[in-house]
């Protein structure tokens, strides 16, 4: 398998599409292109193929997590459950959660504060809020 093109993904900043046989085969984080030393015209061996597959899974789980967070805040465990239910591999979910935490897009403490404030504003008791959390 030979790489035909490496194209920055306009819809996903920080991501690169790896084109093989005229079709985008994987969308991976841009830093992975450098880490794997991918080049146009380069061959993809078995080890690189496995890493590309894992990187694409990680990227898909990350993007799905971002979409969930765009709608509303989530706790890390809640978001991980949602991503796993969507069919993302466990390792990809763990990588996505770690990346979201590192980017400060996911914050359990901030989620808990917002959750408590919203529920208290609706008249929920502290005991009920604690149970819900």
């Amino acid at each position: 398998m030979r790489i035909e093109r490496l194209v920055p993904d306009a819809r996903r900043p920080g991501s690169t599409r790896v084109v093989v046989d005229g079709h985008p085969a994987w969308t991976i984080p841009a830093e992975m292109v450098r880490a794997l030393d991918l080049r146009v015209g380069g061959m993809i061996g078995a080890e690189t193929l496995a890493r590309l597959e894992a990187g694409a899974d990680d990227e898909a789980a990350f993007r799905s997590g971002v979409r969930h967070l765009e709608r509303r805040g989530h706790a890390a465990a809640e978001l991980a459950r949602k991503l796993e239910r969507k069919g993302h591999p466990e390792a990809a979910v763990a990588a996505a959660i770690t990346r979201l935490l590192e980017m400060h897009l996911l914050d359990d403490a901030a989620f808990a504060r917002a959750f408590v404030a919203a529920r208290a504003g609706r008249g929920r008791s502290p005991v009920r809020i604690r149970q819900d959390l």
Side-chain angles (χ1 to χ4, degrees):
M1 212 180 297
R2 186 176 302 276
I3 298 172
E4 289 182 13
R5 291 186 302 160
L6 296 168
V7 183
D9 191 334
R11 293 182 305 145
R12 298 176 183 102
S15 298
T16 300
R17 288 184 174 199
V18 180
V19 179
V20 176
D21 296 329
H23 301 286
W26 304 277
T27 300
I28 58 173
E31 58 270 6
M32 189 174 212
V33 173
R34 289 184 291 283
L36 294 175
D37 195 28
L38 299 178
R39 299 179 192 284
V40 173
M43 294 300 290
I44 298 174
E47 181 182 331
T48 302
L49 179 62
R51 291 183 66 189
L52 282 169
E53 293 288 340
D57 287 344
D58 292 353
E59 186 68 12
F62 172 76
R63 294 295 169 185
S64 184
V66 168
R67 285 191 301 277
H68 280 290
L69 291 171
E70 286 173 344
R71 287 184 224 117
R72 71 168 183 84
H74 288 74
E78 174 191 25
L79 184 57
R81 277 192 307 274
K82 284 185 174 187
L83 294 175
E84 286 174 359
R85 271 198 311 260
K86 286 184 83 68
H88 294 287
E90 192 175 316
V93 170
I97 296 296
T98 299
R99 190 169 161 196
L100 290 165
L101 288 167
E102 288 171 352
M103 295 175 75
H104 304 288
L105 296 175
L106 187 61
D107 182 345
D108 281 348
F111 169 75
R113 285 190 297 275
F115 184 90
V116 168
R119 298 311 189 274
R122 289 190 231 150
R124 295 263 168 99
S125 72
V127 172
R128 176 64 188 268
I129 294 171
R130 209 169 306 132
Q131 287 173 342
D132 291 345
L133 273 173

